[in-house]
Amino acid sequence: MTTATAPEVQQHEAVHDSTLSQYYTELLSWPTAIEPSTGEVRLRLGDTVDALVMRAGFGGEVNHQLVQAMLTAPIIVVPGTPGSKPDDWIFLTQPRTRMRESTIADLVSMQVGWYESDTTIPLPAFGCTEGGLRWLAWPEAGLELPTWGVVVGAVRRTLSRAW
């Protein structure tokens, strides 16, 4: 029986992170970088990809609206804190477009948020990590992200249906 030493494990993790970053950057054309201090693969939001974040229950209804329209969005699950904070879902979209004040008010009223341009968010690793960041809906190479307006429209339709 052999055991891996710390440098071997770190080298394996670095190769894994580099492969993951390559997948996101080359196959999906997303602007990613590896965070040196944590080894996380991070996605820069703004020019190519943007994101809307909402609590999981509401996100399920929004996703249902998208599916009814025969659309799909990559969704990242950010685990909450058991007993106090529910999971959040991050819907990845094409870059953000301007919104009317009434649209912003609707999003804020449902606690739907978004990130500033040039913010980075971590991307899930391959496989499912127990209790950690994970994909609910994987991104697919060659499949265009939904527009910002389509996902915002799904949020507003969901809002109008009794939330």
Side-chain angles (χ1 to χ4, degrees), residues 108-126:
V108 170
S109 74
M110 289 311 300
Q111 300 174 349
V112 174
W114 52 93
Y115 300 92
E116 296 294 323
S117 287
D118 291 327
T119 298
T120 64
I121 61 170
L123 291 172
F126 292 127

Side-chain angles (χ1 to χ4, degrees), residues 5 9 12 30 33 37 59 63 69 126 134:
T5 64
V9 170
H12 173 72
W30 290 358
S37 62
N63 192 44
F126 292 127
R134 66 182 171 81

Side-chain angles (χ1 to χ4, degrees), residues 12-79:
H12 173 72
E13 288 173 356
V15 168
H16 181 265
D17 292 338
S18 136
T19 302
L20 185 61
S21 181
Q22 183 178 9
Y23 169 78
Y24 289 130
T25 302
E26 292 180 11
L27 287 171
L28 301 174
S29 300
W30 290 358
T32 63
I34 297 175
E35 176 65 37
S37 62
T38 63
E40 289 178 321
V41 177
R42 299 194 63 90
L43 171 65
R44 186 175 48 78
L45 300 174
D47 294 334
T48 306
V49 180
D50 222 311
L52 285 161
V53 61
M54 59 200 77
R55 65 184 187 281
F58 187 69
E61 296 295 323
V62 170
N63 192 44
H64 180 72
Q65 289 290 322
L66 291 172
V67 169
Q68 283 185 322
M70 299 178 68
L71 297 169
T72 183
I75 302 170
I76 300 170
V77 176
V78 179

Side-chain angles (χ1 to χ4, degrees), residues 20 26 31 59 91 98 113 137 148-149 157:
L20 185 61
E26 292 180 11
F91 286 72
R98 291 180 48 97
W148 175 268
R157 280 191 304 282

Side-chain angles (χ1 to χ4, degrees), residues 2 15 33 36 38 43 48-49 66 73-74 79 88 92 94 102 106 113 134 143 150 152 158:
T2 61
V15 168
T38 63
L43 171 65
T48 306
V49 180
L66 291 172
D88 283 334
L92 298 182
Q94 291 180 23
S102 61
D106 285 347
R134 66 182 171 81
L143 191 61
V150 162
V152 168
T158 301

